[in-house]
Amino acid sequence: MSALPTSIDETETLLASADYVADRSLATILFLALKLQRPLFLEGEAGVGKTEIAKVLASSLGRNLIRLQCYEGLDQASALYEWNYAAQMLAIRQAEATTGGDAEVFSERYLIKRPILEALETPIEGAPVLLIDELDRADEAFEAFLLEVLSDFQVTIPEFGTIRATEPPIVVITTNRTREIHDALKRRCLYHWVDYPTMAREREIVRRKAPGAGERLASEIVGFVQRLRHSDLFKPPGVAETLDWAQALAELDQMVLEPGVADDTLGVLLKYQDDIAKVRGSQVQRMIDEIRTSAASRPIA
C-alpha cells in the first residue's frame, strides 16, 4: 500500500507512474478529493479516460478497486446486498430436522455483499477505491439512495444492523452526461470535467500506451484524430479509440498514415457508419495532406 499524495506535484507523479498523462487541473482536484475525503465526480465524453482514473488510483495506491457499473433499472439490492435465500432455507430445514429449533439465518454468513457494501469495509491495505461508473445510465431513484450512502458512508440492514465505514472509501463517480445528475448529489462531490486532451498531451499518451507506433505515425494519428473531433460527426473518437487505432496500425507494420490503410481501418476509430461515410475517401486524403503540410512548416528545433 502506498501513502496518499501530500501535494499536487505528488499527485501528478502518482498518475504518471501508471502512465496516466493528466493536466494540472485534474491533478489538483484529485489531490483535494483525496485530502478532504470527498467523492470525485467526473463528467466528460465517452473514451476520455474517466474510468481509467479510478483504475490508476487503485493500482498506484495498492488499494482494491470495487466497480459498480450502472445501468437502467439498477436497484438497491443489486448495489448494496442480498440475502442468500437458498442457503437460509436449507439452514432452517436442517435446524428443524436436527434440533427442532430456529436457525440464525440473518447473519453475515448468509449476506451476499454487493459493491457498495464491500466498499464500506476497510481491509488491511486501506480503504478501497469505489468506482461508480456511468451514473447517468441509472434511474433517479438510485441517485437518491446513493446520496444517502455518500452522506455518512453507512447503511442499515434491518435484519442485521448498521454497517459504517471505519475509513471512507475513495469514491470516483463518472458520467457521460446523457442526462443531468441531481444537484444534491453533485454538492457532495468535487467536480471535474475531463476534456479531450491537447495534441501534445495526446501524443504523450500514445507514446506511453502504444509504444509500437513509431514517432511519426503517432504524430500523424493524433493530428488526424484531433481534426476529426472538429468535424461534424455523430460520435467523435475518444482517447481510447486513438490508442486502439495506433495499436492496430502498428500491428499492420505502418510507419506513416497511408490513405488506403486509414480508409480500411476507420472502423477501429469510428463506430457509426454515417461517420465513416463522411470521412472515407477524399476527406481522409485531405486531412493527411494537411497534417504533413503542417509538419513540414514547423521550424526545426
Side-chain angles (χ1 to χ4, degrees), residues 28-81:
T28 300
I29 204 70
L30 179 55
F31 166 70
L32 290 173
L34 294 172
K35 189 75 173 177
L36 301 174
Q37 295 186 323
R38 297 280 294 278
L40 179 60
F41 190 97
L42 301 174
E43 277 192 322
E45 300 293 338
V48 293
K50 303 184 296 297
T51 299
E52 191 67 17
I53 292 171
K55 295 179 180 179
V56 165
L57 272 178
S59 63
S60 300
L61 295 174
R63 308 295 181 94
N64 292 335
L65 175 65
I66 299 173
R67 180 172 182 170
L68 175 62
Q69 180 63 52
C70 297
Y71 54 87
E72 186 178 353
L74 176 64
D75 60 7
Q76 181 174 327
S78 301
L80 187 55
Y81 75 94

Side-chain angles (χ1 to χ4, degrees), residues 2 25 36 43 66 84-85 87 91 103 110 122 173 179 184 202 210 219 231 240-241 243 247 254-255 258 268 295 299:
S2 300
S25 61
L36 301 174
E43 277 192 322
I66 299 173
N84 188 338
Y85 296 116
Y110 302 101
T122 304
I173 302 172
R179 68 171 179 86
E202 193 160 17
S219 183
S231 303
E241 284 76 30
L243 294 174
Q247 290 164 351
Q254 298 299 295
M255 303 299 292
E258 297 291 352
V268 180

Side-chain angles (χ1 to χ4, degrees), residues 15-26:
L15 294 171
S17 69
D19 290 333
Y20 191 96
V21 185
D23 57 25
R24 185 75 174 180
S25 61
L26 174 57

Side-chain angles (χ1 to χ4, degrees), residues 3 13 30 32 36 67-68 74 77 91 101 138 185 195 224 245 253 292 299:
T13 301
L30 179 55
L32 290 173
L36 301 174
R67 180 172 182 170
L68 175 62
L74 176 64
L185 193 144
D195 209 346
F224 190 93
W245 204 34
D253 298 322
R292 290 176 181 163

Side-chain angles (χ1 to χ4, degrees), residues 214-279:
E215 185 175 340
R216 180 176 173 183
L217 177 62
S219 183
E220 291 185 350
I221 286 171
V222 171
F224 190 93
V225 171
Q226 291 271 334
R227 283 167 170 78
L228 274 184
R229 291 188 187 129
H230 291 93
S231 303
D232 183 23
L233 298 178
F234 179 75
K235 176 60 182 72
V239 180
E241 284 76 30
T242 304
L243 294 174
D244 287 344
W245 204 34
Q247 290 164 351
L249 293 174
E251 286 294 325
L252 295 175
D253 298 322
Q254 298 299 295
M255 303 299 292
V256 297
L257 197 55
E258 297 291 352
V261 178
D263 257 2
D264 293 339
T265 56
L266 282 176
V268 180
L269 191 62
L270 301 171
K271 307 304 178 180
Y272 290 89
Q273 176 55 32
D274 289 348
D275 287 345
I276 292 174
K278 285 180 183 178
V279 175

Side-chain angles (χ1 to χ4, degrees), residues 49-173:
K50 303 184 296 297
T51 299
E52 191 67 17
I53 292 171
K55 295 179 180 179
V56 165
L57 272 178
S59 63
S60 300
L61 295 174
R63 308 295 181 94
N64 292 335
L65 175 65
I66 299 173
R67 180 172 182 170
L68 175 62
Q69 180 63 52
C70 297
Y71 54 87
E72 186 178 353
L74 176 64
D75 60 7
Q76 181 174 327
S78 301
L80 187 55
Y81 75 94
E82 289 182 291
W83 289 109
N84 188 338
Y85 296 116
Q88 285 175 320
M89 290 300 298
L90 185 61
I92 291 170
R93 289 171 182 168
Q94 187 174 19
E96 290 174 345
T98 55
T99 65
D102 295 329
E104 178 53 59
V105 293
F106 291 112
S107 64
E108 190 169 0
R109 176 183 176 185
Y110 302 101
L111 192 62
I112 302 173
K113 299 174 183 177
R114 300 303 186 193
I116 289 180
L117 189 57
E118 286 184 52
L120 297 181
E121 298 179 335
T122 304
I124 193 170
E125 61 267 22
V129 176
L130 172 61
L131 169 62
I132 302 172
D133 210 13
E134 298 184 318
L135 179 59
D136 50 327
R137 292 180 179 271
D139 303 322
E140 291 186 14
F142 182 74
E143 279 184 53
F145 159 70
L146 193 59
L147 178 63
E148 182 182 356
V149 173
L150 296 181
S151 296
D152 301 310
F153 290 106
Q154 69 176 39
V155 295
T156 299
I157 301 173
E159 307 90 342
F160 187 77
T162 298
I163 298 175
R164 181 181 293 105
T166 56
E167 182 184 347
I170 299 168
V171 181
V172 177
I173 302 172

